[in-house]
Amino acid sequence: MKRPSGFDREPEPERVEPVAPEAPARGERRDGSDGAWLLRRRGAGAASEAPEVPTPASGSGSAADAPRDGDARVEERAPDPSDLADVIGAARFGTADATRSVSPRHGAEPDSAGALADELATTDLSDAALDVRESGSGLLAKLRARPEREPDPIRAAERDLRTATRLRRRRERREQRRFTVHARRRRRYWLIGAGAVAALALFVAIGVLSPLMAVRDIRVTGASRVDAAKVTDALGRFDGVPLALVDDGEVHRALAEFPLIQRYAIERIPPGTLVVQVEERVPAITVAKGKAFETYDPAGVLVETADKRPAGVPLATGAAATPGSQAFSASAKIVRDMPEALRKQLAAVTASSGQDVRFTLAGGLEVLWGEATETQKKSAVLQALLTGLKGRSVQRIDVSAPNAPVYN
């Protein structure tokens, strides 16, 4: 059935001043009851201030379709949760957006403002308010957030002072490093030198005092006529002594009892090996002393004394038999520098001075050598003549002038 004209348009919203809600007691929870109280108050005001609507004289609508006094400014539609949220927000925060209309449930027939208020009062809005609070938690957090305080000028000044102090100290450190680079470099060099000296001292201390560097093996090399086992036993006093503490004087005194050793060299091989390299004396001349034979080296040092004449060593006569004389020194030097193959053929040597040295070979051949010069060249010439004159009767060969040898 069609309604009379004038009721098809939307009613104009009534301007209602926001009402500040009462402060809740401690522990009391605000729920939909506050919104219901506001709606009840709004419905009562709307009923008292609703204008009188004239009854139509005639028309297609019936009296049942005509709206009652309480429905003059109420829209017939189901309540919208958004409207309830607005009303609850207005009641809680005191906002002015509380003028939107709220309609009763569809099919209700409010006959007065009191009925509307009673119905809204009995409506439980707690669930709707809880949903609105959960969905709009971000908005509520922003609304409840306190405004930021203005920055404290004293704290800001203190913070700026600390920053400036920190920058000043950093700049001072940079300048100090820049102006002290030479001193730091010089100190670094001193530290490196001191560290090297300390490391060397530590190494020496370890080598001197540590038992890890003690002598545990003694080796003797270069001994042929001398018994190497006896030499090793004589050096056994250094067993367990650190290598750095092996005294050369003690080694010399240990080897002094071996006259055949002309010179020696000591080699220390870490961690515990002592090597003694010896060079033996070369017997050059034998001198008969009664029934004994004394053998001397070119320096006139007595090498050994034997009851028999040693083989391969010529027997000295005349001035050559006196150790320390020029004839003895020249004869011994020639024998020392002569090749070993030729030295083994010598039977005797005689000389009156250092310029007329004569040798006698084992076959009775006499060799006039002269002075102790060009020994290697004279030896080569003599060996060539002996090879060339082999089988011939030759009694004397003169090689004093190696470039013009003479034999007869």
Side-chain angles (χ1 to χ4, degrees), residues 165-225:
T165 303
R166 201 161 45 245
L167 294 176
R168 178 180 57 80
R169 291 177 180 175
R170 189 179 303 170
R171 184 169 58 254
E172 289 177 355
R173 286 195 296 269
R174 286 200 302 268
E175 292 297 326
Q176 184 179 5
R177 286 196 298 269
R178 186 166 66 90
F179 285 104
T180 59
V181 59
H182 298 290
R184 287 186 287 109
R185 185 179 302 168
R186 192 162 48 249
R187 184 167 59 250
R188 183 167 60 250
Y189 291 159
W190 276 104
L191 290 176
I192 293 174
V197 173
L200 181 60
L202 181 62
F203 177 77
V204 171
I206 292 175
V208 171
L209 303 177
S210 176
L212 298 176
M213 304 291 290
V215 176
R216 292 186 295 272
D217 184 18
I218 300 175
R219 301 177 186 176
V220 178
T221 60
S224 59
R225 299 189 181 196

Side-chain angles (χ1 to χ4, degrees), residues 282-284 309 311-315 331 333-349 358-363 365-369 374-387 397 399:
V282 178
R309 176 183 172 184
V313 180
L315 179 63
S331 301
K333 184 179 179 180
I334 294 171
V335 175
R336 183 194 63 187
D337 296 338
M338 191 176 296
E340 185 177 1
L342 186 59
R343 188 190 309 128
K344 290 180 178 181
Q345 299 180 28
L346 300 178
V349 57
R358 296 170 182 265
F359 292 101
T360 302
L361 301 182
L365 180 62
E366 183 180 0
V367 178
L368 180 60
W369 196 273
E374 299 180 330
T375 301
Q376 297 295 331
K377 188 175 183 180
K378 292 178 180 179
S379 298
V381 172
L382 180 57
Q383 286 180 340
L385 290 175
L386 291 176
T387 303
I397 298 177
V399 292

Side-chain angles (χ1 to χ4, degrees), residues 226-251:
V226 181
D227 191 355
K230 293 182 178 180
V231 176
T232 303
D233 294 339
L235 296 174
R237 67 182 71 175
F238 301 106
D239 192 10
V241 179
L243 286 175
L245 297 182
V246 175
D247 187 13
D248 293 348
E250 292 292 333
V251 175

Side-chain angles (χ1 to χ4, degrees), residues 5-79:
S5 61
F7 289 90
D8 296 333
R9 62 170 178 245
E10 292 285 337
E12 295 181 359
E14 181 183 359
R15 306 180 65 87
V16 180
E17 294 295 333
V19 180
E22 296 179 358
R26 183 181 299 273
E28 181 182 355
R29 177 181 177 185
R30 286 287 190 173
D31 52 9
S33 61
D34 295 337
W37 171 80
L38 181 60
L39 293 177
R40 186 164 57 251
R41 183 174 180 181
R42 177 185 173 192
S48 62
E49 295 178 2
E52 184 178 358
V53 181
T55 303
S58 62
S60 59
S62 63
D65 298 331
R68 298 181 182 180
D69 295 338
D71 292 341
R73 306 184 66 86
V74 180
E75 182 183 0
E76 293 184 1
R77 62 183 177 88

Side-chain angles (χ1 to χ4, degrees), residues 241-265:
V241 179
L243 286 175
L245 297 182
V246 175
D247 187 13
D248 293 348
E250 292 292 333
V251 175
H252 179 76
R253 282 189 286 273
L255 298 179
E257 59 184 81
F258 300 97
L260 288 180
I261 298 177
Q262 183 176 0
R263 59 179 64 91
Y264 62 90

